[in-house]
Structures are given as C-alpha cells and as structure tokens.
Amino acid sequence: MLELFLLQIALFSIFPLYFTVLDGPLRRVSYYIYIALVLLIGGFFGNVYSLPVTADITVSGGNICYGAFMMSSVLFVLVERDLFILRHLVRLVLLVDLFNALFSNLAAHSLSHQGITNPHNTSPALFDISTPFIILGGVLIILELLTLLYSFEKLKKYHFNPVVTGFCYILLFITVLCIDGIIFPLLAFGFSQEIINIVFGSLDGKILTASAYAFPLILFTLIRRKSFISYLSTDDFRWTLLLKTSTQLTEEMSEQETYREQADTVFKHTDEGLAIVDNQGKVLRANHALCELLALPISTLLTRTDSIFSLFTYPQRSLELQVLRTLPWRGEITFGDKHHGLLSVTKVESESSKPVTFVLSLVNIDEQKRIQAKLNHLARHDQLTQLPNRRVLDDVIESLQGKAFGLLVVDLDHFKDVNDSYGHAAGDTVLRTQADRLRLLNDEFPDDVLGLSRTGGDEFAILIANLPLLKVTQLINAIQHRLAQVIPLNNQVEVYISATIGASFQAQGENRDLLQEADAGLYEAKRNRRGSYGLYEERLTLESQRKLTVGNKLKQTLQESKVQVYYQPQYCAKTERLVGVEALARWHDDELGWVSPAEFIPIAEETGLIEPLGEFVLKRACEDGAKWIAQGLCELKMSVNVSAYQLRFGQFITTLNNVLKQTEFPVRLLELELTESAYIERENEVLPLLHQLKQLGVRLAIDDFGTGYSSLSYLSKMPWDTLKIDRSFIIGLPDDQEQCKLTATIIKMAHDLNLDIVVEGVETREQLAFVAQRNSQLIQGYYYSPPLAAEALIARIRKEQTSQ
Ligand code: C2E
Ligand code: MG
Ligand code: MG
C-alpha cells in the first residue's frame, strides 16, 4: 500500500512542481485550476477510501488532497512572491467549498429521489456530506495557510542562511499540516476521550503525509534555488491586499501590467542603448538602440560568448568585469569606431525569476564631446587668428618653470594706423596674415619654436627653446623678415607692417617672469627704433619701475600745476639780437630732483599725460608772451613743442583756439615745433591738420631735423616755415669735415625750400661762426643762453635793452 500512497503523493506533486517553470500568466492559471480541482476532489476522497499504508498507519484520501492543496499553495506563493495571488486563493477556497456543499447536497438528494436512473447503484451516502464540516474545513485551511505564510514572513526578516530558513519552513509546513489533523476532528466531533484517542491514534498517518509533501518543497528550494532566494529577499507581503475588493485587485493587477508594458516600450524605443546582462557580461536582452550604437545585429549580441564589456575601452584599457564590482558604476568610455559613450551599469534584483544581474545603459556623447571640445577651444584660442590665447601661454610657461627656455614678444608696428585708416576689416586681415606667417615657424623651426600665442591686440608671443644667442637673433631676423612682407588688402591696397620684438630667457632652475621681461625688452626696442628687437636686461625692470614712479609723480605735479616753463632764447645770427624763445617744460620734484623732459615727455606720451602737459605749456607760454607785450617789454617769437600724440589723439585745434582766445597772444608770433614722427606714414591724417594750423596764422617748425627719417619728400610736401637743425650736427663743427658738409647741405637745402633756419645747440663761437657764414637765421644754444625761468629771461632782456 506504501507504493500506492507514494504514487498518489508523486502524482499530486509533479504538476505544481512543473508549473513553477512556466511563464507568469500561464503559471497562475495553471495553479488556480489545479488547486480548485484538488480541493474539489478532496471533498469526496475523504469519504471514498482510506489507505492503510502500514499495519499501524492509515491515511485518508481527504488528507492526501488536503496535503496536496497546502503544498501547491506554498509553491505558488514562493514562486509568485506576492500576496496578491493569495487573495484569489482565499476566494477560490470559499467558492469551491460553496460549490462542494451545494453539489454534494444536490447529488445526495438526487440519488435518493424515486425514479432517478442510477445504473451503478451509487449510494446517496457517498455525497451525504455535512455542510458544516465542509465550511469548517474551508475556514481551517484558509487560516492554516495564512498562519503558515505569516510565519514564513516573520522568519524571513531574520535573514538567516537560506538553508536554515528553508529547513525551518519545512518544519513549519509539517507542523501546520499535523495541527490541522488534530484540530479538525476535535472541532468537528467534540473533545470526547474517544475522539481524542482516534485523533492521536491516526497522527502517524498525518505526519507521514506532511513529510511526504515536504519533499516537493525541498526539491523546489534545491532546483529553483535562485527563485527561493529571491523570495527571501523580496519586500514584505502586503497583507492589506487580502482586504481589498476584486475590482481593486484587478485594477492593481492591470496597473502592474501597464507598468510592465510601459517599461517594455521604453526599453524597446528609447534612444539609450540598454541591455540586460548576466554576471559574466553575457547579453540576455538588448534593445534596438544598443545594436545601432554598437553597429552589431541583435543576434550577434545575444550569441557572443565574450563579455559585452570587452567592447568598451576605459580609459585606455578594456573594462573588466572586476571594475563592475563597485556598483552602480558610471563612466565615460570609448566604443566602436572611436565613439565616446557614457556607460552606466546597475546591479538589479529582477522581478522575474530569471537570474538577471546587471542593467547596462549606453549613451553616445560624441556631440557633447564635440561641443565640449569646441568650448575648450574657444576658451583657449583667439577667434580671429585661431592661435592659442594668453591662458594657454600661461599654462605652457607654468609647465616649463625651472627649465631653460626663452620667450619672444612680437608687436606689430603702427598697427593702429591700419585700423584707423583702412577700417577694422583691414586690421583683421593684417592680424590673420601675420598670424599665419608666424604659424609657419612651427614647420620651419620645429625644434626651436615651442609654442605660439596671441597675447593682445597686435601682440604675439613665441616660446622658444634654450638657444644660443646667434640662433636667437637669426630666428628674430627670420620672423621680422617674414612679417615685413607686403600684405594685400581687399580694396587693392597693400600695406607693410614691420614688427618690433622683445626677448627674454631663463636658465635651468630659474623661475623668472619672462613675459614681463620680454615686454620690457620690447619697449626698449620700440623706443630705439620700430622694427628692431630688444633683449631683456635686468636694468630694464629698474627702468620700468622708474617709469612708473615718474608717471605717477608727473600726474600729481600736473594736477597741482607745478610744472614750470623755461624759455631758451633764439638769437638772430646777423644782428645778434634776441628775437625769439623756445618754451621748454621743466619739472623739479622734491624726491627725484630735476627730471629731464627727455625722460618725462616720452612717459607722458605713453601714459596720455602729454595732452594736459602740452596744453599747460602752450597756455603758460602764450600767457607769458602776451604779458611781455602788454608790459611793453618786447615782441618775441614763441616756439612751443607739440608732440605727435597731441596731434593724433587730441582736439589740438580746439585747444589752440581756446588758448589764443584766453591769452590774446598774437597768433603770428606763435611757432609750433613738430618732429618728423608726428607725420611720417600718417600723411593723410596730418596734412589737413597742418593746413588748418597754417590758416590760423600759426608758424610751423620741423624740430630735430636730421635725427629721424629726414625725408626730403615730406619736407617739401608739408607747409613748414622753419627747419631746426638738430644739435647732433653741430657738436662736431667745425672740425668734423663730414658734419660740416652735412650741415652745409641741410642749410642750403632749407634755403632752396624757402625755409627759415634755426640752429640748435650752438655752444661755441666757432660753431656760431660756421653756421652764421652759411646764412642761418636763428641761433639757439648755450653759447647765448641756456633755457631760463621767465624772471631770468626778463632780466636778460632788460639788460640787453639797456646795453644797446
Ligand atoms: P628740443 O625741442 O629739441 O629742445 C631743445 C633741447 O636742447 C632742450 O632740452 C634744450 O635744453 C637743449 N639745448 C638747447 N641748447 C643746447 C646746447 O647748446 N647744448 C645742449 N647740450 N643742449 C641744448 P630739454 O629742455 O631737455 O628738452 C628736451 C626735449 O624735450 C626737447 O627737445 C623737446 O623735444 C622735449 N620737450 C621739452 N619741453 C617740451 C614740451 O613742453 N612739450 C613737448 N612736446 N616736448 C617738450
Ligand atoms: Mg623743440
Ligand atoms: Mg630740437
């Protein structure tokens, strides 16, 4: 009989075990139908037979079915992991019980009815089951099932080892089944001694049945281990679901279904490449976007034996699964044909029973990378020339600190004039052309040139290797030669732009401010001659400090109107009488002492102070001149120096008119001294201005002739009245034959051009004699007098007047 018993147990177990491997919906339907059948059959089997398994142990058919119900329900819950299904199970039990009661009564009643056809002589007693017993049985199995599951839940929270938990579950299962075997007869038939004896007498059969049904449960925990572990790690059952109505449950179910569908749609249609991979990196599922990104068909992805992570590089090596131990993982990788991607990997506990361990997401960030690179380029490059900017230069210099290298600062000469004369578009063309020419240095001197940068409007910096001086000068010459080439502008105009260069170097182990030093070298070179170059020397920083002090103090002095004006007499060579004076700025500072105009005028020009200074001297000179006339002293020609910068940037004509109006100095006595730098290469701009000045009645003198460009064509073009021969021509007279010839030539030429001549710096009688013989009109120099303060000049005039 034991075989028959075991066969029945095996038959009842094989189906629920098989259902655990089915897909969700099919699995659920199968379980519900099966459990309903088992319940239904159980209602009758209890009455139909009992199996004497051994001499002492008897098991009823009802018990076998009841055990099958409990075992199937537990399996169902373990595999579904949601109390949701329990709600339906409870309903199912109630419905089957109701059906059972009604059908049994109806069948018993039908069989005992007169005239019914009963070919097998089935006894009505077979169906004559007590309805209260059916109801009691139904209530008990529901309570027992809930108690069992509640105990499972409680136990789960202790997080024991799964084997221990599984063992406890089996024990609980057997216990609950045995308790049922005790409680049901006691409740059904009362607590009499006879019943108690029967119940405990047949306990062996209950224990045997319960143990036999524990076997499929053990099989499940072993074979579907992951599913069981996953059950142990799921959240609490929502017990409240038991109290919900069917509509609410259906809604909840369809909501879950909708979520699943939505998630599925997102998975399929998102632009993000998604894959579900196992812990070996093998692809279990992948979406279309991932196939597109990796340019691999889905079939290849799914059948790959390698880990999917071998397709990514991070940053220069392959992504090993080991890296993914620190999850969630997120990082930039490269994949495919040099594409950039953002890869995220998250470990997941899957809802289903499949062993999914990772979700991988891949986004192509080529576009972001491109934009990022563009932004970086923008931030570090000059837009006009595409050369690296100052920031890059600073970074490179920083990285070279302590090493031996050099820096050249290249400044385009008179670039502002191109902008002013031909417009900014032309200026841009010039800058681009020069930048392109500089860029070629990289190819031509690959070992010498370390980097290029545009550091300012018309300023470029070139980092060079530690080169011998000869090589540096060769390089500088090459640069200057290249930049000095003609630049064609759009409107068929061609310009030539020379470049002045400053250079500085540091030896191994030094950390100098090469940019500042090269700048100092540049300014030194500019002061000497545009188009030249200057190598930084330490004295230059002292000079720049001095320049800063002088500039600041001069500003202060000007604000306090403490600049003085001295007058240097000019004598007529023939009559030896005082006919004019040159107004010269003088400045005495308490700290610096007397500061020479040769020092402070260039600083005033650089700092923009030249305008107020020039205006101050002009006004003071005109005031003094007008005063001397008013006092009946004398009418002297007044020469005032005007800087190129005053003409270039200022409102010179307006200032002059105001001064003349305020001081009432006769304009015919005023002579303005300009140096060649005021108009050279700026003819178009300056010539109209000079004509305007002439129209006012002002005389114009060209100062320091012979020291600068000495361009004869300019000399004839401009409306000059006077030419002042520079002191440097006079120094060597009359012994230096060359100087004599030159001076004589200049004087003759001035005569030919109908210009008055003033000879500056005449210190000796011999010098005077030489120039006087050649008909120079006016003599200015220490021979007659140094520049004098106004009072000293008046005293001198008075003295001369009385001696005549
Ligand atoms: P400059 O216009 O050529 O002035 C003549 C300079 O030669 C003056 O120097 C004068 O003192 C000096 N000098 C005159 N005769 C002799 C001589 O026989 N021997 C020697 N060794 N020197 C003589 P200073 O006053 O130092 O002026 C230097 C330059 O500063 C001037 O050269 C002029 O270009 C500029 N400067 C002076 N005052 C002003 C001013 O108010 N405005 C502007 N824009 N420039 C000024
Ligand atoms: Mg002068
Ligand atoms: Mg002069």
Side-chain angles (χ1 to χ4, degrees):
M1 283 295 180
L2 182 62
E3 303 83 36
L4 212 55
F5 168 74
L6 290 178
L7 268 176
Q8 286 200 20
I9 298 286
L11 184 67
F12 274 116
S13 305
I14 194 101
F15 287 97
L17 268 178
Y18 163 68
F19 297 155
T20 62
V21 298
L22 295 179
D23 272 347
L26 183 59
R27 182 174 63 221
R28 261 171 248 143
V29 171
S30 309
Y31 268 115
Y32 285 132
I33 294 173
Y34 181 75
I35 288 168
L37 283 175
V38 167
L39 274 176
L40 208 56
I41 297 166
F44 299 102
F45 267 25
N47 290 352
V48 178
Y49 69 90
S50 285
L51 272 175
V53 182
T54 62
D56 304 324
I57 303 172
T58 304
V59 177
S60 74
N63 249 330
I64 292 176
C65 288
Y66 164 72
F69 165 79
M70 284 300 269
M71 179 270 296
S72 310
S73 302
V74 167
L75 271 183
F76 193 14
V77 170
L78 289 185
V79 86
E80 290 294 333
R81 283 168 290 153
D82 202 326
L83 198 67
F84 188 70
I85 54 112
L86 207 57
R87 172 71 175 74
H88 290 286
L89 265 185
V90 172
R91 277 168 57 100
L92 189 71
V93 172
L94 292 175
L95 283 174
V96 172
D97 257 12
L98 182 65
F99 174 82
N100 219 349
L102 292 174
F103 179 75
S104 301
N105 277 312
L106 204 60
H109 183 74
S110 303
L111 286 172
S112 44
H113 204 276
Q114 282 296 318
I116 191 117
T117 312
N118 187 353
H120 303 295
N121 263 340
T122 307
S123 159
L126 191 63
F127 296 96
D128 192 11
I129 304 161
S130 158
T131 307
F133 284 2
I134 293 177
I135 293 168
L136 177 65
V139 171
L140 269 185
I141 56 173
I142 289 169
L143 285 178
E144 282 156 13
L145 186 61
L146 294 182
T147 310
L148 190 60
L149 295 177
Y150 183 75
S151 314
F152 281 9
E153 285 301 303
K154 283 285 155 198
L155 203 61
K156 202 159 86 171
K157 288 196 182 128
Y158 290 102
H159 297 290
F160 294 132
N161 179 304
V163 177
V164 177
T165 315
F167 182 72
C168 295
Y169 279 14
I170 300 297
L171 275 187
L172 274 169
F173 175 78
I174 295 172
T175 312
V176 168
L177 254 66
C178 292
I179 287 173
D180 174 81
I182 297 167
I183 291 178
F184 180 78
L186 289 179
L187 289 178
F189 306 110
F191 286 78
S192 64
Q193 190 55 48
E194 189 192 349
I195 298 295
I196 290 172
N197 286 344
I198 294 172
V199 165
F200 285 98
S202 63
L203 200 57
D204 292 351
K206 319 265 186 238
I207 294 172
L208 180 69
T209 315
S211 306
Y213 277 122
F215 191 69
L217 292 181
I218 294 170
L219 263 183
F220 171 78
T221 56
L222 291 178
I223 298 168
R224 308 290 320 270
R225 204 176 71 248
K226 279 186 184 157
S227 197
F228 177 61
I229 291 172
S230 154
Y231 164 79
L232 294 181
S233 59
T234 41
D235 292 342
D236 280 356
F237 269 6
R238 286 168 295 155
W239 293 98
T240 48
L241 281 182
L242 281 175
L243 304 172
K244 287 199 173 170
T245 63
S246 284
T247 326
Q248 284 169 326
L249 285 177
T250 318
E251 272 171 14
E252 173 129 347
M253 205 163 148
S254 73
E255 227 168 71
Q256 282 184 5
E257 197 54 42
T258 313
Y259 283 149
R260 215 164 292 142
E261 274 172 17
Q262 283 170 346
D264 207 47
T265 313
V266 171
F267 186 87
K268 276 184 191 149
H269 300 295
T270 178
D271 289 342
E272 208 171 311
L274 294 174
I276 296 167
V277 298
D278 68 11
N279 56 2
Q280 296 306 309
K282 190 172 168 1
V283 179
L284 304 173
R285 199 179 159 193
N287 70 355
H288 181 66
L290 187 73
C291 300
E292 292 254 295
L293 284 172
L294 298 175
L296 289 173
I298 184 82
S299 53
T300 313
L301 266 183
L302 293 176
T303 50
R304 274 175 63 87
T305 44
D306 282 9
S307 150
I308 187 169
F309 297 109
S310 63
L311 296 174
F312 308 124
T313 309
Y314 167 79
Q316 295 309 327
R317 63 201 147 88
S318 276
L319 250 191
E320 292 302 326
L321 262 181
Q322 310 306 324
V323 178
L324 306 181
R325 295 296 176 230
T326 48
L327 292 168
W329 189 91
R330 194 178 159 85
E332 274 186 34
I333 48 96
T334 49
F335 65 95
D337 189 15
K338 288 190 186 142
H339 292 298
H340 295 272
L342 188 65
L343 181 74
S344 317
V345 186
T346 330
K347 190 172 184 181
V348 282
E349 301 301 337
S350 170
E351 284 286 311
S352 77
S353 56
K354 285 170 192 156
V356 175
T357 47
F358 299 104
V359 167
L360 170 152
S361 133
L362 177 68
V363 181
N364 184 319
I365 53 166
D366 283 346
E367 183 64 11
Q368 286 97 311
K369 280 272 162 191
R370 206 180 54 75
I371 293 170
Q372 184 67 51
K374 203 169 175 195
L375 286 178
N376 286 347
H377 185 86
L378 279 177
R380 295 174 68 80
H381 288 79
D382 161 51
Q383 284 319 288
L384 181 68
T385 61
Q386 296 304 321
L387 284 181
N389 62 15
R390 175 69 190 268
R391 196 184 291 185
V392 178
L393 180 74
D394 287 345
D395 286 354
V396 181
I397 290 181
E398 179 75 32
S399 69
L400 287 172
Q401 280 309 350
K403 294 187 183 141
F405 72 101
L407 181 73
L408 306 182
V409 174
V410 181
D411 187 277
L412 303 183
D413 298 328
H414 302 296
F415 172 72
K416 191 180 176 300
D417 293 351
V418 177
N419 262 346
D420 292 348
S421 315
Y422 303 112
H424 286 270
D428 288 354
T429 308
V430 168
L431 287 173
R432 267 195 296 261
T433 312
Q434 300 296 51
D436 289 343
R437 288 170 177 175
L438 289 177
R439 226 190 302 271
L440 291 177
L441 293 171
N442 286 321
D443 304 331
E444 204 172 323
F445 305 94
D447 299 330
D448 303 341
V449 173
L450 305 180
L452 270 181
S453 159
R454 181 179 175 205
T455 46
D458 59 351
E459 209 175 272
F460 302 88
I462 304 172
L463 281 164
I464 56 171
N466 182 31
L467 304 173
L469 199 60
L470 185 68
K471 207 93 196 274
V472 173
T473 47
Q474 280 172 354
L475 184 63
I476 289 177
N477 286 335
I479 296 169
Q480 285 179 325
H481 175 73
R482 175 164 304 158
L483 296 183
Q485 303 303 309
V486 64
I487 302 172
L489 300 178
N490 282 346
N491 39 5
Q492 294 184 336
V493 175
E494 292 182 335
V495 289
Y496 295 87
I497 298 279
S498 59
T500 310
I501 295 180
S504 183
F505 303 90
Q506 76 173 22
Q508 188 86 26
E510 284 184 339
N511 273 336
R512 311 237 304 257
D513 188 345
L514 286 196
L515 198 59
Q516 198 193 1
E517 292 180 0
D519 262 339
L522 172 73
Y523 281 107
E524 175 76 353
K526 263 192 190 174
R527 204 160 354 156
N528 292 340
R529 185 174 59 82
R530 301 270 168 151
S532 65
Y533 66 86
L535 302 180
Y536 168 79
E537 294 166 41
E538 225 138 273
R539 75 176 163 84
L540 290 178
T541 33
L542 292 177
E543 255 179 42
S544 22
Q545 278 167 12
R546 163 95 184 170
K547 262 166 115 178
L548 215 65
T549 319
V550 169
N552 288 337
K553 281 184 175 279
L554 180 63
K555 192 172 181 184
Q556 185 75 25
T557 313
L558 268 172
Q559 276 164 2
E560 296 166 3
S561 301
K562 281 188 180 162
V563 174
Q564 301 170 45
V565 178
Y566 274 40
Y567 300 96
Q568 187 172 29
Q570 295 174 340
Y571 281 81
C572 171
K574 266 190 202 145
T575 61
E576 294 215 310
R577 286 174 68 160
L578 178 60
V579 289
V581 288
E582 177 178 3
L584 293 160
R586 286 292 176 268
W587 171 30
H588 182 268
D589 179 78
D590 294 340
E591 210 179 299
L592 305 173
W594 285 103
V595 186
S596 158
E599 181 180 7
F600 71 75
I601 294 291
I603 294 175
E605 287 176 338
E606 267 176 44
T607 52
L609 287 174
I610 192 66
E611 277 195 76
L613 175 65
E615 187 178 345
F616 177 85
V617 174
L618 178 71
K619 195 169 173 199
R620 177 59 58 83
C622 290
E623 273 168 4
D624 283 348
K627 206 169 15 174
W628 300 332
I629 295 169
Q631 287 170 356
L633 202 58
C634 62
E635 273 198 0
L636 291 178
K637 185 190 75 168
M638 178 67 73
S639 295
V640 178
N641 293 287
V642 177
S643 154
Y645 289 82
Q646 283 170 271
L647 294 186
R648 195 175 291 186
F649 301 119
Q651 299 273 309
F652 186 71
I653 300 274
T654 323
T655 309
L656 179 68
N657 275 323
N658 289 342
V659 168
L660 288 173
K661 208 185 277 171
Q662 282 168 19
T663 60
E664 295 181 347
F665 183 73
V667 70
R668 66 187 161 81
L669 292 179
L670 184 64
E671 184 166 79
L672 299 178
E673 293 187 9
L674 295 150
T675 55
E676 285 170 300
S677 62
Y679 53 83
I680 288 288
E681 292 175 14
R682 302 176 58 247
E683 188 187 338
N684 295 346
E685 196 185 331
V686 176
L687 194 59
L689 199 71
L690 296 186
H691 282 296
Q692 261 176 291
L693 287 171
K694 285 288 323 167
Q695 271 167 10
L696 283 176
V698 181
R699 290 172 62 88
L700 296 175
I702 177 161
D703 201 357
D704 302 342
F705 187 81
T707 57
Y709 303 84
S710 309
S711 158
L712 295 183
S713 69
Y714 278 109
L715 198 61
S716 58
K717 252 189 244 172
M718 305 279 173
W720 304 117
D721 299 289
T722 306
L723 182 145
K724 291 187 82 175
I725 301 178
D726 191 67
R727 196 170 75 83
S728 54
F729 290 91
I730 311 305
I731 293 171
L733 302 183
D735 305 327
D736 186 333
Q737 290 306 306
E738 270 306 303
Q739 290 283 32
C740 289
K741 265 192 217 157
L742 256 175
T743 312
T745 315
I746 294 173
I747 294 173
K748 184 171 179 313
M749 179 193 68
H751 280 309
D752 293 346
L753 289 169
N754 264 336
L755 297 174
D756 288 350
I757 298 164
V758 177
V759 185
E760 286 187 287
V762 174
E763 292 182 354
T764 63
R765 172 157 284 281
E766 293 74 31
Q767 288 170 343
L768 174 66
F770 182 88
V771 291
Q773 274 166 20
R774 281 159 185 84
N775 290 334
S776 303
Q777 287 98 339
L778 294 182
I779 309 296
Q780 179 186 348
Y782 291 176
Y783 174 75
Y784 284 113
S785 168
L788 300 169
E791 303 75 39
L793 179 76
I794 294 168
R796 188 185 180 104
I797 297 169
R798 292 230 160 92
K799 201 173 140 203
E800 283 182 7
Q801 281 175 347
T802 48
S803 67
Q804 278 166 13

